[in-house]
């Protein structure tokens, strides 16, 4: 204890010095003053990290750490909206209080911090488990909105998703009645999709429609350096929820806490995350669905979540929130233009803008609208014309390009051919899973997907079905070759090739399905991750034969796939045209075109969504995660 006492004295001395500095030294002056327009531009370009608004004065910190100052023009009342929409952290200092009291508080802050830190360290030293005062409570960033004023109409262009969440609204409105009518009370729902697609907005709209409080916290707020804080925050969160039920709890960035436990610890941070995650699981299991609480979690990386989070009774319902297609983009643009009552010039065609912004998220589109309005104001125009929209699109596209997310029209066409290749080869085989839809809307790292739906949950696959799957996997690369030549093939097929090779290997070596090798099973590193590679129990001769057979199967399947594409080339061209136009097409739409070309289709369409989805997800990046929830192996 003697040690701590002297530590305290040192802290006090340090604190005094800081106090003295604050009282007598002058506050640091901003490096530079900027005009308000410049400031807004910087905000839109995401150059601002944090801003403090005090009356008409704004002090901001840029991403590269510079301090800037600007003054808000009188009567301008959207500053707060613009800042928050662009992800700037906003502090507001009320002007009435800018007296000596605030100054004093600011000066005292360091001392309070020091004392807090000291108390905390004492707590850690004396075992850390003493909860005499809830330290976490004072810092918890639980954000409570009594009545969110967002409605489903404010969320544009995701009709299927909105249909899916209607049930949640019904439940929140009248939990008891809902259950009397035979509905199963929903509890945990996972929204997954790229950043900015409107997951938070949708969650708020659900609470808004149901007229219940919206309680939110970000997963990253849970993860602290100190052991125990995160878990305490989880407890606080659920306490708040129970007090406010019926209500909706929203946990953003759930992956920050919910990453799969790796087994490789890296010190305190790891333990802390695990403790927080465990607490979250306990709380999820601990409340009864009848209480009228719904927990929605959001992530853009569902593939890295700990499987424990997705078990029944936890986040057992997963809803994909996709990036908008052309029609969706059109509607999002309209919503934002109407919301801000932006006057449009006669030449503005929102459909043209929607077509020119493939891969844009809702947030990107909201930015386009904001940016165009600002440009028009700067150019002193009465109305926002197409020119402003074009410039705004260019600017935001540049930002996306920097992040490597923009797709050129050229690429888009290649992706379309690739996906139609998968789909066509699939429908030309009786043993393939029925086709559901094709999409070239980028999602995560995936550039396009072809979704097939198997008949029911499958446990056994025949060789015929496996070979059909193999051909289908090659359909993408084969189409590239047919339409772009041997030199035109792309890296987009990496994931397909990986899956095809693995499948062929298992056909030969795991499931003993070839005549040449017969019914053998070879436990190698390829199909058994726990086995060291270079398996000792097969001869070199066998290993060579396996390789030979694998290659033979792969090459033959590829040839077959290419022949199919070659044969129905004309139909492919028409399907690609429609796909480029609509970005997502259903199996029915594809079949209609095949019929026009008299293609003898061997398979049928499948509409109903089932759990076990066979998605061919194409990406160009080497380590790209598969899109969506990983299908059970
Ligand atoms: P996420 O939570 O998926 O990262 P947000 O819900 O935070 O995305 O979206 C950020 C902003 O982008 C929203 O506040 C809204 O202005 C805009 N936005 C995104 N998607 C839509 C949509 N479907 N309709 C209207 N606005 C949208
Ligand atoms: Zn592919």
């Amino acid at each position: 204890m003697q040690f701590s006492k002297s530590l305290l004295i040192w802290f006090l001395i340090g604190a005094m010095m800081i106090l003295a500095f604050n009282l007598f030294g002058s506050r640091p002056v901003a490096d530079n003053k900027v005009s308000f327009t410049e400031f807004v531009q910087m905000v839109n370009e995401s150059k601002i990290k944090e801003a403090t608004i005090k009356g008409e004065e704004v002090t901001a910190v840029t991403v590269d750490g510079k301090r800037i100052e600007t003054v808000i023009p009188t009567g301008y009342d959207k500053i707060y909206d613009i800042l928050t929409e662009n992800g700037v952290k906003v502090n507001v200092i009320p002007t009435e209080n800018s007296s000596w009291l605030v100054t004093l508080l600011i000066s005292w802050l360091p001392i309070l911090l020091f004392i807090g830190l000291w108390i905390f360290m004492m707590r850690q030293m004396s075992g850390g488990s003493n909860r005499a005062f809830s330290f976490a409570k004072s810092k918890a960033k639980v954000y409570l909105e009594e009545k969110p004023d967002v409605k489903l109409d404010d969320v544009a262009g995701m009709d299927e998703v909105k249909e899916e969440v209607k049930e949640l609204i019904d439940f929140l409105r009248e939990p008891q009645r809902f259950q009397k009518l035979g509905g199963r009370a929903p509890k945990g729902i996972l929204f997954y999709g790229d950043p900015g697609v409107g997951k938070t907005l949708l969650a708020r709209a659900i609470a808004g429609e149901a007229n219940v409080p919206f309680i939110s916290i970000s997963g990253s707020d849970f993860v602290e350096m100190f052991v125990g804080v995160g878990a305490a925050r989880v407890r606080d969160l659920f306490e708040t929820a129970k007090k406010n039920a019926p209500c909706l709890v929203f946990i953003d960035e759930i992956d920050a806490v919910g990453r799969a436990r790796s087994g490789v610890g890296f010190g305190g941070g790891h333990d802390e995350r695990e403790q927080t995650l465990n607490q979250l699981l306990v709380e999820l299991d601990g409340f009864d669905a009848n209480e009228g609480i719904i927990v929605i979690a959001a992530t853009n990386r569902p593939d890295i979540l700990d499987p424990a989070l997705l078990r029944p009774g936890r986040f057992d319902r997963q809803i994909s929130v996709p990036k908008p297609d052309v029609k969706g983009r059109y509607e999002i643009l309209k919503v934002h233009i109407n919301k801000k009552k932006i006057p449009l010039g006669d030449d503005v065609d929102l459909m043209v803008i929607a077509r020119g912004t493939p891969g844009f998220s809702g947030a990107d589109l909201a930015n386009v609208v904001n940016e165009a309005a600002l440009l028009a104001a700067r150019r002193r125009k009465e109305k926002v014309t197409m020119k402003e929209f074009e410039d705004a699109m260019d600017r935001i596209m540049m930002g996306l390009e920097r992040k490597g997310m923009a797709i050129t029209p050229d690429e888009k066409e290649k992706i379309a051919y690739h996906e139609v290749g998968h789909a066509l080869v699939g429908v030309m085989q009786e043993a393939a899973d029925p086709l559901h839809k094709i999409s070239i809307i980028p999602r995560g790292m995936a550039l396009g997907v072809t979704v097939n739906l198997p008949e029911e949950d499958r446990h056994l696959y025949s060789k015929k079905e496996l070979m059909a799957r193999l051909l289908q996997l090659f359909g993408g690369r084969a189409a590239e070759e047919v339409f772009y030549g041997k030199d035109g093939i792309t890296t987009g097929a990496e994931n397909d090739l990986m899956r095809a090779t693995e499948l062929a290997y298992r056909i030969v070596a795991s499931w003993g399905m070839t005549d040449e090798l017969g019914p053998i099973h070879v436990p190698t590193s390829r199909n058994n991750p726990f086995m060291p590679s270079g398996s000792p129990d097969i001869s070199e001769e066998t290993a060579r034969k396996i390789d030979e057979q694998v290659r033979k199967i792969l090459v033959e399947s590829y040839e077959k796939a290419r022949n199919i594409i070659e044969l129905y080339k004309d139909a492919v061209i028409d399907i690609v045209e429609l796909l480029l136009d609509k970005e997502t097409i259903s199996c029915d739409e594809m079949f209609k075109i095949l019929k026009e070309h008299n293609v003898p289709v061997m398979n049928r369409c499948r509409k109903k969504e089932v759990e076990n989805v066979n998605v061919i997800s194409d990406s160009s990046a080497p380590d790209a995660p598969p899109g969506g929830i990983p299908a059970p192996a």
Side-chain angles (χ1 to χ4, degrees):
M1 270 297 125
Q2 211 159 23
F3 165 72
S4 313
K5 235 181 218 164
S6 62
L7 203 66
L8 171 64
I9 290 170
W10 277 113
F11 269 140
L12 281 178
I13 292 176
M16 295 288 248
M17 280 170 70
I18 288 182
L19 175 68
F21 179 80
N22 266 325
L23 281 184
F24 303 114
S26 59
R27 300 265 304 277
V29 189
D31 300 341
N32 69 44
K33 277 195 189 306
V34 297
S35 74
F36 183 65
T37 350
E38 270 175 73
F39 176 71
V40 172
Q41 191 182 340
M42 292 175 81
V43 172
N44 273 316
E45 288 168 359
S46 304
K47 287 188 180 149
I48 304 293
K49 195 165 69 186
E50 193 174 341
T52 307
I53 305 175
K54 185 176 157 193
E56 291 175 338
E57 289 167 29
V58 182
T59 318
V61 184
T62 63
V63 175
D64 37 43
K66 258 197 278 174
R67 275 171 74 96
I68 53 167
E69 271 181 9
T70 192
V71 178
I72 309 170
T74 13
Y76 188 89
D77 58 3
K78 301 210 177 54
I79 183 71
Y80 190 76
D81 290 353
I82 289 189
L83 290 171
T84 44
E85 271 167 24
N86 283 287
V88 179
K89 189 170 161 241
V90 186
N91 313 302
V92 178
I93 300 179
T95 26
E96 314 84 73
N97 291 351
S98 68
S99 56
W100 58 273
L101 222 160
V102 172
T103 326
L104 204 69
L105 255 178
I106 291 176
S107 343
W108 272 89
L109 207 66
I111 296 203
L112 294 178
L113 271 177
F114 267 111
I115 294 177
L117 190 68
W118 176 71
I119 291 173
F120 191 79
M121 288 187 62
M122 293 294 290
R123 230 165 57 103
Q124 290 290 82
M125 277 182 226
S126 59
S129 55
N130 176 5
R131 302 211 169 278
F133 22 51
S134 174
F135 197 73
K137 202 159 211 154
S138 60
K139 289 212 309 186
K141 292 169 204 153
V142 177
Y143 163 82
L144 187 136
E145 208 175 344
E146 290 286 346
K147 282 192 179 126
D149 60 347
V150 184
K151 292 280 174 327
L152 273 191
D153 279 344
D154 299 315
V155 189
M158 41 169 113
D159 298 340
E160 277 176 46
V161 179
K162 282 202 279 196
E163 202 51 50
E164 240 186 304
V165 300
K166 286 236 165 81
E167 191 195 64
L168 305 181
I169 299 170
D170 289 343
F171 171 73
L172 284 174
R173 273 194 189 135
E174 288 172 290
Q176 272 82 27
R177 215 174 85 88
F178 179 88
Q179 284 169 73
K180 250 187 226 141
L181 292 174
R184 193 174 75 89
K187 199 168 160 186
I189 298 102
L190 183 73
F191 282 179
Y192 65 95
D194 289 329
V197 291
K199 299 183 289 296
T200 312
L201 186 70
L202 181 63
R204 279 180 70 217
I206 293 170
E209 287 281 345
N211 213 5
V212 299
F214 176 77
I215 299 168
S216 68
I217 190 164
S218 172
S220 54
D221 290 341
F222 284 139
V223 186
E224 289 278 328
M225 238 147 39
F226 304 115
V227 174
V229 175
R233 282 188 186 169
V234 173
R235 260 193 305 274
D236 280 350
L237 176 68
F238 281 85
E239 254 171 48
T240 315
K242 280 174 190 158
K243 264 184 238 146
N244 289 281
C247 65
L248 191 151
V249 175
F250 182 71
I251 306 176
D252 204 359
E253 297 176 51
I254 184 90
D255 41 290
V257 240
R259 270 164 200 279
R261 286 164 279 198
S262 59
V264 193
F266 23 85
H270 182 68
D271 289 346
E272 161 65 359
R273 198 159 52 75
E274 198 142 303
Q275 241 189 53
T276 310
L277 175 58
N278 285 336
Q279 186 64 37
L280 183 61
L281 296 177
V282 167
E283 295 287 350
L284 279 172
D285 295 342
F287 80 85
D288 190 3
N290 304 319
E291 289 176 55
I293 300 173
I294 287 183
V295 187
I296 295 181
T299 182
N300 53 351
R301 292 294 309 273
D303 51 315
I304 58 167
L305 289 185
D306 196 306
L309 271 172
L310 308 177
R311 296 227 173 94
R314 294 170 184 167
F315 295 105
D316 50 7
R317 247 174 90 186
Q318 284 110 33
I319 296 181
S320 153
V321 185
K323 272 201 186 147
D325 60 3
V326 181
K327 189 168 147 277
R329 294 200 294 271
Y330 173 83
E331 276 158 17
I332 293 172
L333 288 166
K334 226 165 70 182
V335 161
H336 284 275
I337 286 167
N338 290 344
K339 196 169 76 184
K340 304 216 167 81
K341 300 196 179 67
I342 292 175
L344 297 184
D346 293 335
D347 64 338
V348 174
D349 183 344
L350 293 186
M351 206 56 205
V352 171
I353 304 173
R355 281 191 196 291
T357 45
F360 276 43
S361 67
D364 298 330
L365 292 165
N367 262 340
V368 168
V369 173
N370 271 346
E371 182 79 29
L374 277 170
L375 282 174
R378 199 177 311 155
R379 291 170 189 171
R380 297 180 197 288
K381 289 192 182 172
E382 303 265 301
K383 290 177 173 170
V384 184
T385 71
M386 206 61 181
K387 179 91 182 78
E388 279 76 49
F389 276 109
E390 272 158 13
D391 293 349
M393 275 154 68
D394 281 351
R395 186 166 277 176
I396 281 145
M397 186 87 78
M398 248 150 53
L400 292 177
E401 260 161 23
R402 234 183 296 125
K403 289 186 236 157
M405 273 156 41
I407 292 177
T408 67
D410 245 22
E411 286 174 329
K412 198 172 151 184
E413 195 188 86
K414 278 197 172 177
I415 297 164
Y417 274 106
H418 180 107
E419 297 305 330
V420 174
H422 282 305
L424 180 75
V425 172
V427 302
M428 293 313 291
Q429 297 180 91
E430 202 194 325
D433 291 331
L435 179 69
H436 175 56
K437 65 173 181 186
I438 318 173
S439 165
I440 51 168
I441 300 169
R443 192 174 93 192
M445 302 302 277
L447 302 171
V449 294
T450 302
V451 182
N452 291 80
L453 300 175
E455 287 303 326
E456 65 258 345
D457 275 6
R458 300 297 304 268
H459 304 290
L460 289 175
Y461 286 91
S462 67
K463 182 175 176 190
K464 192 173 174 193
E465 286 160 341
L466 294 173
M467 296 304 279
R469 170 84 60 95
L470 203 52
L471 246 67
Q472 199 196 359
L473 279 168
F474 278 130
R477 166 55 68 83
E480 290 180 16
E481 195 194 318
V482 169
F483 289 95
Y484 296 97
K486 275 206 184 304
D487 293 334
I489 55 179
T490 73
T491 54
E494 167 160 358
N495 194 262
D496 301 336
L497 298 187
M498 193 180 84
R499 287 170 67 176
T501 310
E502 160 142 17
L503 190 57
Y505 198 90
R506 301 192 69 177
I507 288 172
V508 178
S510 303
W511 302 316
M513 287 172 166
T514 56
D515 291 339
E516 289 77 2
L517 279 126
I520 64 162
H521 174 84
V522 183
T524 65
S525 57
R526 276 268 180 74
N527 48 35
N528 183 351
F530 301 108
M531 197 76 182
S533 55
S535 188
D537 51 359
I538 55 165
S539 65
E540 233 167 77
E541 169 72 8
T542 310
R544 198 182 50 73
K545 268 194 188 161
I546 291 176
D547 280 350
E548 218 169 69
Q549 283 309 309
V550 170
R551 181 146 316 145
K552 184 167 157 248
I553 289 182
L554 290 175
V555 171
E556 283 176 8
S557 302
Y558 181 74
E559 289 298 319
K560 281 187 198 158
R562 206 183 50 195
N563 288 340
I564 294 174
I565 309 266
E566 196 78 63
L567 203 54
Y568 304 115
K569 229 172 149 174
D570 298 344
V572 172
I573 292 174
D574 282 2
I575 300 165
V576 164
E577 194 183 332
L578 185 69
L579 182 58
L580 283 172
D581 189 42
K582 295 186 67 174
E583 295 179 5
T584 298
I585 60 173
S586 68
C587 177
D588 287 338
E589 288 170 304
M590 170 160 166
F591 270 43
K592 211 176 131 224
I593 297 175
L594 290 175
K595 207 168 164 194
E596 285 164 15
H597 286 267
N598 296 316
V599 177
V601 177
M602 302 290 289
N603 209 315
R604 56 195 193 82
C605 292
R606 180 81 191 260
K607 286 199 195 73
K608 208 176 123 260
E609 294 269 0
V610 289
E611 304 263 313
N612 200 356
V613 183
N614 162 18
V615 180
I616 295 184
S617 164
D618 287 298
S619 52
S620 60
D623 294 312
I629 299 285

